[in-house]
């Protein structure tokens, strides 16, 4: 096949695909575009005359493939799951040795591992790539997490480096490991995003129900926090959300929005994978569970009637500067613990899959472009950059001091919330995990004794090697 003009192609002109294609075109690359409904590919060119020279829409998959130079680089930006397999199956017969298929959707990393296997030995190459930052990220610079064969990465690196977000001058893209590494890291990113958002929502709940603050006042507090340790995209947008007025009613926008949160599944995957790895990502679990319970609104409304008056009756919180800084400190501390859990899951997956995930680099490429971007991630990057092995973020010297200092604020906020009947499941999970993690002698000895009594599962003793069974009294 003769070489076409396009440097890279994008299949799928939905929100993400169209914006990614515009980003690629803007950076000076020629991008071929194709879509199940072809009109959308042509509309992209027509609607963006300033970039039209770099956008090459195709009516058919055959035309699309012909328009690409070799080795062909084809990005799929279609819904995760069967559509990706379908698109891969359709295009494979049209491709040649050395061509690269790139799944840039939110794939389950297990699917990515399977798809990588299907191209092994065929001459074709496959990359599974997590893209974070939503619509705006795709258009102006996402954070990009790449998985696949290391020697395939240079084929896409020049384009990805140009379109990725930049933290100062560093592009937020990296090759992270073979097959499913990129999509696994994106899944954990989303799990951490769930936890981060849930903990912010819990602090909002304390402000609303404990401190009886108006949204505009909360917005001012979040804006203030955004100038310090908590400085991040999520805190910034929270202030914007809280400051907004509904044009229809004149009420604060957050008060007209129904309290049912949606989810598309990546947070749940993060929790399931962490559980499979034996890592308790309890703050992520609390966040996923909270979204689930939020959607059972009618049931909650009925339960509220059954248990009215359970609250301590008076606010345990004080709306003064000391109270706000306690909340700030609690949120910082819980956030460190949530990230420690996400990082522990990535470390375990890295061992399990032989990925050798560069955990410091992951923090670096999350510093800009993605939803959880923050200065705090720069601190994590630095913790991994010290040349010593970080067993867990909670043992990294830079974080030990911060958690030791902040844990009493987290403890007080969780305790006061419990007494006031205000749910803070992710903050509580963070505190419980921290207390369990820092306890040298736990309580699993009793669990082992029970297991041995009812199931002869054996246990190990402090004073001898090997597993033993004890003859317990009959019950
Ligand atoms: P979207 O707006 O719903 O667009 C989906 C695109 O895929 C459309 O162009 C659609 O074509 C096409 N498509 C749908 N079903 C198809 C099928 N069975 N076969 C072939 N093409 C099909 O989706 P999106 O938000 O851009 O998301 C794309 C991927 O990026 C997903 O994996 C998503 O999880 C991931 N992602 C999304 C975001 C986000 O913020 N939206 C962020 C990160 C990652 P038609 O025009 O013909 O319907």
């Amino acid at each position: 096949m003769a070489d076409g003009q396009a440097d890279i192609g994008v299949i799928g002109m939905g929100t993400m695909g169209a914006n990614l294609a515009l980003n690629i075109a803007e950076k000076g690359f020629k991008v071929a575009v194709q879509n199940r409904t072809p009109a959308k590919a042509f509309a992209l060119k027509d609607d963006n005359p300033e970039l039209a020279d770099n956008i090459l829409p195709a009516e058919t998959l055959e035309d699309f493939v012909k328009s690409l130079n070799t080795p062909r680089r084809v990005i799929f930006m279609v819904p995760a799951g069967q559509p990706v397999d379908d698109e891969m199956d359709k295009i494979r017969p049209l491709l040649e040795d050395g061509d690269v298929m790139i799944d840039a959707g939110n794939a389950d990393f297990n699917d990515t591992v399977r798809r990588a296997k299907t191209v092994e030995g065929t001459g074709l190459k496959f990359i599974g790539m997590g893209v974070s930052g939503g619509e705006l990220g795709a258009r102006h610079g996402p954070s990009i997490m790449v998985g696949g064969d290391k020697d395939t990465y240079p084929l896409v690196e020049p384009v990805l480096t140009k379109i990725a977000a930049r933290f100062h001058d560093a592009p937020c893209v990296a090759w992270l490991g073979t097959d499913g590494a990129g999509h696994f890291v994106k899944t954990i990113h989303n799990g951490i995003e769930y936890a981060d958002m849930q903990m912010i929502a819990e602090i909002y709940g304390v402000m609303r129900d404990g401190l009886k603050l108006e949204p505009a006042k909360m917005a001012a507090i979040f804006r203030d926090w955004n100038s310090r340790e908590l400085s991040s995209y999520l805190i910034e947008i929270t202030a914007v959300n809280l400051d907004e007025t509904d044009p229809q009613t004149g009420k604060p926008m957050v008060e007209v929005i129904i309290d049912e949160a949606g989810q598309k599944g990546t947070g749940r995957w993060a929790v399931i994978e962490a559980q499979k790895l034996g890592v308790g990502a309890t703050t992520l679990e609390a966040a996923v569970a909270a979204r689930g319970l939020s959607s059972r609104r009618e049931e909650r409304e009925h339960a509220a009637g059954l248990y009215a008056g359970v609250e301590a009756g008076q606010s345990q919180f004080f709306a003064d500067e000391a109270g706000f800084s306690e909340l700030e400190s609690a949120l910082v501390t819980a956030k460190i613990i949530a990230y420690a859990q996400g990082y522990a899951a990535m470390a375990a997956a890295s061992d399990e899959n032989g990925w050798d995930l560069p955990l410091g680099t992951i923090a670096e490429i999350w510093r800009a472009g993605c939803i959880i971007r923050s200065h705090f991630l720069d601190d994590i990057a630095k913790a991994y950059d010290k040349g010593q092995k970080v067993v867990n973020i909670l043992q990294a010297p830079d974080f030990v001091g911060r958690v030791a200092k902040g844990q009493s604020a987290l403890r007080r906020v969780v305790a006061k919330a419990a007494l006031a009947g205000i749910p803070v499941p992710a903050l509580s999970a963070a505190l419980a995990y921290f207390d369990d993690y820092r306890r040298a002698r736990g309580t699993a000895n009793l669990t082992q004794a029970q297991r041995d009594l009812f199931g002869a599962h054996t246990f190990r003793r402090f004073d001898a090697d090997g597993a033993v069974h004890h003859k317990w009294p009959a019950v």
Side-chain angles (χ1 to χ4, degrees):
M1 254 184 243
D3 267 16
Q5 291 178 22
D7 301 298
I8 196 161
V10 180
I11 293 178
M13 289 293 104
T15 311
M16 292 297 284
N19 281 292
L20 202 69
L22 291 175
N23 184 358
I24 295 170
E26 192 177 65
K27 299 299 175 321
F29 299 102
K30 290 207 183 301
V31 58
V33 290
Q34 214 267 338
N35 193 49
R36 180 175 64 175
T37 315
K40 278 196 197 165
F42 289 89
L44 191 77
K45 184 180 176 83
D46 295 343
D47 295 345
N48 296 279
E50 70 290 358
L51 298 173
D53 287 350
N54 284 347
I55 300 173
L56 312 180
E59 182 78 29
T60 65
L61 217 46
E62 286 77 7
D63 290 347
F64 171 80
V65 169
K66 273 188 208 144
S67 71
L68 291 163
N69 61 32
T70 55
R72 297 175 186 82
R73 284 149 280 215
V74 178
I75 296 177
F76 302 103
M77 223 5 155
V78 296
Q82 195 57 42
V84 178
D85 289 312
D86 293 346
E87 290 302 310
M88 281 178 70
D89 287 346
K90 275 192 264 171
I91 203 167
R92 264 177 207 240
L94 306 173
L95 298 178
E96 292 175 326
D97 279 6
D99 291 350
V100 193
M101 294 181 285
I102 304 144
D103 176 17
N106 271 341
D108 179 337
F109 93 100
N110 295 295
D111 284 340
T112 307
V113 172
R114 171 179 58 77
R115 289 179 186 128
K117 283 210 172 68
T118 68
V119 301
E120 260 173 32
T122 65
L124 295 176
K125 296 169 188 298
F126 182 71
I127 280 178
M129 176 170 107
V131 177
S132 178
E135 181 178 357
L136 282 177
R139 178 65 184 86
H140 299 292
S143 170
I144 306 176
M145 296 143 256
V146 183
D149 287 343
K150 194 172 187 181
D151 53 10
T152 305
Y153 182 52
L155 298 174
V156 290
E157 190 178 9
V159 174
L160 299 185
T161 303
K162 278 271 167 59
I163 65 168
R166 305 194 98 72
F167 181 80
H168 299 307
D169 240 4
C172 292
V173 55
W175 175 81
L176 302 176
T178 54
D179 51 55
H183 276 139
F184 183 86
V185 171
K186 173 67 176 21
T187 300
I188 296 298
H189 165 283
N190 285 23
I192 292 175
E193 176 186 313
Y194 271 53
D196 212 335
M197 291 172 71
Q198 173 64 23
M199 293 191 297
I200 293 171
E202 289 173 13
I203 294 290
Y204 157 73
V206 166
M207 289 176 168
R208 185 189 65 187
D209 303 334
L211 296 171
K212 313 286 183 207
L213 299 184
E214 293 303 320
K217 173 66 182 166
M218 300 181 207
I221 296 170
F222 277 105
R223 251 196 313 276
D224 177 42
W225 291 356
N226 199 38
S227 65
R228 291 188 289 275
E229 256 180 305
L230 283 169
S231 169
S232 62
Y233 173 70
L234 283 173
I235 294 288
E236 184 186 349
I237 65 166
T238 301
V240 173
N241 293 144
L242 290 167
D243 239 354
E244 189 71 357
T245 302
D246 173 33
Q248 287 178 39
T249 60
K251 291 182 181 168
M253 199 70 210
V254 283
E255 288 181 3
V256 301
I257 297 176
I258 292 177
D259 54 331
E260 293 177 18
Q263 53 180 318
K264 287 191 173 167
T266 45
R268 188 166 51 225
W269 289 346
V271 168
I272 292 169
E273 293 306 332
Q275 284 286 10
K276 282 191 202 161
L277 291 160
V279 176
T282 55
T283 56
L284 282 62
E285 285 174 20
V288 173
R291 287 205 195 182
L293 190 54
S294 81
S295 66
R296 297 177 171 270
R297 189 161 53 93
E298 281 183 18
E299 204 176 320
R300 285 188 288 113
E301 280 169 358
H302 187 68
L306 298 178
Y307 293 104
V310 169
E311 288 83 353
Q314 73 186 55
S315 173
Q316 305 289 322
F317 294 93
F318 302 97
D320 59 13
E321 287 311 315
F324 302 150
S325 63
E326 186 171 81
L327 288 180
E328 180 184 13
S329 187
L331 187 53
V332 169
T333 310
K335 179 170 167 156
I336 294 171
I337 295 164
Y339 280 64
Q341 292 181 339
Y343 268 75
M346 289 194 289
S350 182
D351 290 345
E352 176 86 9
N353 296 284
W355 285 329
D356 199 17
L357 288 177
L359 297 176
T361 303
I362 291 167
E364 285 173 8
I365 65 170
W366 285 352
R367 289 177 302 187
C370 64
I371 303 297
I372 62 170
R373 61 186 181 263
S374 65
H375 286 286
F376 169 74
L377 279 159
D378 198 33
D379 298 342
I380 295 184
K382 284 181 183 136
Y384 280 97
D385 198 27
K386 298 264 160 82
Q388 65 215 26
K389 186 166 166 55
V390 179
V391 175
N392 183 299
I393 287 174
L394 290 175
Q395 296 204 23
D398 291 350
F399 286 98
V400 172
R402 290 165 73 171
V403 174
K405 185 162 154 269
Q407 52 100 17
S408 62
L410 177 59
R411 204 173 294 287
R412 283 195 301 274
V413 168
V414 168
K416 287 185 215 172
L419 288 172
I422 299 170
V424 286
L427 297 174
S428 309
L431 179 63
Y433 178 84
F434 168 70
D435 279 336
D436 220 3
Y437 186 74
R438 75 187 177 94
R439 181 166 63 165
R441 182 140 193 224
T443 55
N445 45 332
L446 180 60
T447 308
Q448 285 298 82
Q450 292 166 327
R451 293 178 70 235
D452 191 53
L453 184 150
F454 66 65
H457 291 296
T458 73
F459 54 85
R460 287 182 299 123
R461 301 175 57 104
F462 280 118
D463 53 5
D465 288 336
V468 293
H469 169 58
H470 178 73
K471 213 167 168 332
W472 301 94
V475 181

